[in-house]
Amino acid sequence: MIIAGLTGGIASGKSTVSDIFRKAGATIIDADIIAREVVTQGTPAYAEIIHAFGDIILQPDGAIDRKRLGDIIFNAPEKKVLLDAIVHPRVFERMERRIAQTAETTPGAVVILDIPLLLETRIPRKLAEVILVYVPETLQLKRLMQRDAIDKQAALARIHSQMSIEEKRSQATVIIDNSGDREQTRQQALAVLSRLKKG
Ligand SMILES: CC(C)(COP(=O)(O)OP(=O)(O)OC[C@H]1O[C@@H](n2cnc3c(N)ncnc32)[C@H](O)[C@@H]1O)[C@@H](O)C(=O)NCCC(=O)NCCS
Ligand SMILES: Nc1ncnc2c1ncn2[C@@H]1O[C@H](COP(=O)(O)OP(=O)(O)OP(=O)(O)O)[C@@H](O)[C@H]1O
């Protein structure tokens, strides 16, 4: 089994690239999806989040209001630290379980760990490659504002809560440049996957 990490800045195109990898047969383990699973109602993380942030971050149905929680943590670094400390250990634990399951069911799999904060958190696991989906910050800002229908200030708060994309670029071992059209990105992603398969 080959395990590689996939990362990038917010709205740089990680989901776009992981969809291409998935369609080409890779097994994707997505940290954003797992981060949602571990905070559903009734979980210990859900209780800890309410304890740390108060009922104000709940929707009327009792689920976590992600927009509200995002507005809080992306504008206050000390609050982000609190949330990260609750969510991240659970995400990594569950990811390790998924990796172990995949190793049993599909020992020949190419496994891609899609982790937005891979370089910020430095997961304790050896990766065959650290693949970065790159776009310059100006394009990242434009795509984020468009996709999430948010203003420049809110978008910059999110971008600046992460390591800069240029710093990430200097730490990655493989770069997929997503500043062109989707077909150009697809070609690069398929070439990366084919190299990974060869080992
Ligand atoms: C803050 C929350 C509630 C906002 O939820 P929302 O549905 O609006 O966004 P979503 O989860 O889809 O994340 C979108 C993107 O935001 C960025 N992002 C998310 N959390 C963080 C964070 N703690 N620090 C920096 N960037 C983050 C990532 O690029 C991610 O891909 C949510 O992102 C969350 O619970 N974050 C903490 C867990 C986390 O760090 N997740 C990232 C992968 S482990
Ligand atoms: N090559 C491209 N050309 C034009 N638009 C693109 C391209 N790649 C991605 N996009 C658009 O840019 C936005 C961000 O892409 P995507 O959602 O894949 O990013 P992401 O890194 O997964 O985001 P997040 O960090 O929030 O999870 C989306 O609206 C997507 O449709």
Side-chain angles (χ1 to χ4, degrees):
M1 197 165 80
I2 299 160
I3 305 177
L6 175 68
T7 193
I10 184 165
S12 62
K14 293 177 302 295
S15 305
T16 303
V17 170
S18 69
D19 278 351
I20 298 165
F21 283 150
R22 186 182 291 108
K23 284 184 187 137
T27 300
I28 311 296
I29 301 181
D30 184 325
D32 277 342
I33 294 179
I34 295 180
R36 285 165 196 255
E37 293 170 3
V38 299
V39 301
T40 50
Q41 280 184 63
T43 59
Y46 172 84
E48 285 180 32
I49 290 171
I50 297 173
H51 184 71
F53 292 89
D55 289 353
I56 186 176
I57 53 88
L58 292 183
Q59 294 176 350
D61 68 359
I64 288 172
D65 183 335
R66 303 179 65 83
K67 189 183 170 316
R68 182 163 280 190
L69 186 54
D71 286 341
I72 294 172
I73 68 137
F74 292 122
N75 289 295
E78 75 282 4
K79 302 282 188 191
K80 189 178 112 67
V81 171
L82 273 181
L83 182 66
D84 287 354
I86 296 169
V87 180
H88 290 175
R90 273 120 180 167
V91 170
F92 289 127
E93 195 184 296
R94 196 171 279 218
M95 268 191 145
E96 287 300 326
R97 253 188 282 150
R98 297 261 161 94
I99 293 169
Q101 282 164 1
T102 307
E104 260 183 38
T105 56
T106 332
V110 174
V111 177
I112 306 285
L113 306 180
D114 179 347
I115 313 181
L117 302 178
L118 179 64
L119 293 169
E120 285 91 340
T121 52
R122 302 212 158 273
I123 64 160
R125 159 168 283 283
K126 197 166 160 13
L127 298 168
E129 302 286 356
V130 172
I131 305 163
L132 177 78
V133 184
Y134 175 81
V135 290
E137 192 181 299
T138 45
L139 189 53
Q140 185 185 12
L141 177 64
K142 187 172 154 231
R143 287 185 182 161
L144 178 58
M145 288 171 65
Q146 251 167 22
R147 187 196 60 188
D148 292 357
I150 53 176
D151 65 22
K152 188 172 177 183
Q153 195 194 343
L156 282 175
R158 282 163 173 71
I159 289 173
H160 291 150
S161 76
Q162 301 185 342
M163 184 191 287
S164 81
I165 193 97
E166 298 302 331
E167 175 63 22
K168 287 185 179 179
R169 186 187 178 123
S170 73
Q171 294 188 21
T173 61
V174 176
I175 313 284
I176 294 177
D177 187 331
N178 187 36
S179 51
D181 63 27
R182 288 166 197 279
E183 182 53 27
Q184 287 170 315
T185 296
R186 200 175 78 89
Q187 293 304 333
Q188 294 173 70
L190 293 179
V192 169
L193 189 61
S194 136
R195 277 207 307 278
L196 274 177
K197 281 181 186 158
K198 284 185 195 139

